[in-house]
Amino acid sequence: MTGDVDRILIPRERIADRIRELGEEISNGLASLLKGEEENEVVLVPVLTGSVIFLADLIRQLPHKVRIHMVTVSSYPGRSTTSQGAGIVGRIPEDLRDKHTLIVDDILDSGATLRLLRAEIERQSPRSLQACVLLRKKTDAAMRTPCEYVGFDIPNEFVIGYGLDYDGLYRNLPDIGVLKPQAMRDAVPINPT
Ligand code: IMP
Ligand code: MG
């Protein structure tokens, strides 16, 4: 599997360091939102499947009472490497009214996923709504999309590893990297989300 990686963009140690910092940034941001409130509870809305590894590391940096409401959004079906438009699969979590909510996603690209989720969650009148992504591509569309917490800004390339997939594979790579063009051609399709 590692033979399919063209080059490593962000090694695991840098990811770990940055997630510790992100945990502090989010905690500080939430502290000002929670000021004067008795409540210390936050609802995370992670986007499956790409955010699971990031989520697992990030929640352990947060000192709050954390609930998790997973949501599935499909935007890169199968072997495509450009967004095909975002769609919510199944239902989005309910009961976010009056909750401090934080969307967690692996990567911000066209912004369709975040825009869609924000609009859907806003309709439930949460007390606050913020978003956190590990990666943001340096594209006009991504930069224009509101997102409170960003781990790394990266070049506009298709990346895999640390939860991110190509055609369902490579999520278990500990580092974030760029695939060899050959590996993209050879991938066998499986059910994508
Ligand atoms: P957006 O809706 O175009 O912002 O794309 C967000 C979603 O597309 C992310 O949650 C990822 O699942 C997927 N995605 C975007 N870029 C990449 C990439 O470079 N590698 C793997 N998945 C990606
Ligand atoms: Mg995704």
Side-chain angles (χ1 to χ4, degrees):
M1 182 177 69
T2 43
D4 294 345
V5 177
D6 191 38
R7 64 181 202 285
I8 292 189
L9 208 59
I10 313 176
R12 62 198 79 180
E13 299 80 10
R14 273 188 68 207
I15 300 174
D17 288 348
R18 184 67 187 118
I19 290 178
R20 268 191 292 276
E21 292 172 3
L22 270 180
E24 272 183 39
E25 288 175 28
I26 293 170
S27 297
N28 292 339
L30 286 171
S32 47
L33 289 173
L34 290 163
K35 206 176 278 169
E37 293 181 16
E38 269 176 36
E39 183 158 295
N40 178 28
E41 198 173 293
V42 181
V43 182
L44 300 192
V45 182
V47 185
L48 289 173
T49 304
S51 72
V52 290
I53 295 177
F54 176 40
L55 173 77
D57 286 342
L58 184 68
I59 49 171
R60 284 176 285 173
Q61 300 298 326
L62 301 178
H64 310 84
K65 288 184 185 163
V66 170
R67 293 182 196 275
I68 299 176
H69 285 264
M70 302 280 197
V71 64
T72 301
V73 176
S74 185
S75 56
Y76 274 45
R79 299 187 198 182
S80 48
T81 54
T82 53
S83 177
Q84 307 292 302
I88 291 174
V89 181
R91 292 162 64 85
I92 78 150
E94 287 169 14
D95 297 336
L96 297 176
R97 186 181 185 81
D98 271 343
K99 301 286 184 200
H100 290 289
T101 48
L102 177 70
I103 299 168
V104 179
D105 204 359
D106 50 1
I107 188 164
L108 170 51
D109 182 11
S110 72
T113 303
L114 279 193
R115 277 197 304 275
L116 177 72
L117 276 178
R118 272 192 194 268
E120 288 294 321
I121 293 173
E122 283 292 1
R123 294 198 328 201
Q124 297 188 35
S125 307
R127 187 171 293 273
S128 68
L129 176 56
Q130 302 185 102
C132 173
V133 295
L134 179 63
L135 308 173
R136 175 172 62 185
K137 291 194 185 171
K138 282 188 204 144
T139 63
D140 289 347
M143 294 300 190
R144 270 200 310 269
T145 306
C147 186
E148 285 75 9
Y149 307 102
V150 176
F152 298 94
D153 281 311
I154 62 164
N156 186 15
E157 287 185 279
F158 194 81
V159 292
I160 43 91
Y162 197 76
L164 292 118
D165 73 305
Y166 173 67
D167 200 22
L169 296 175
Y170 307 106
R171 296 192 196 275
N172 53 322
L173 288 174
D175 311 294
I176 291 167
V178 178
L179 270 187
K180 287 182 182 161
Q182 175 71 29
M184 293 214 184
R185 283 195 300 272
D186 291 349
V188 179
I190 58 165
N191 287 341
T193 51

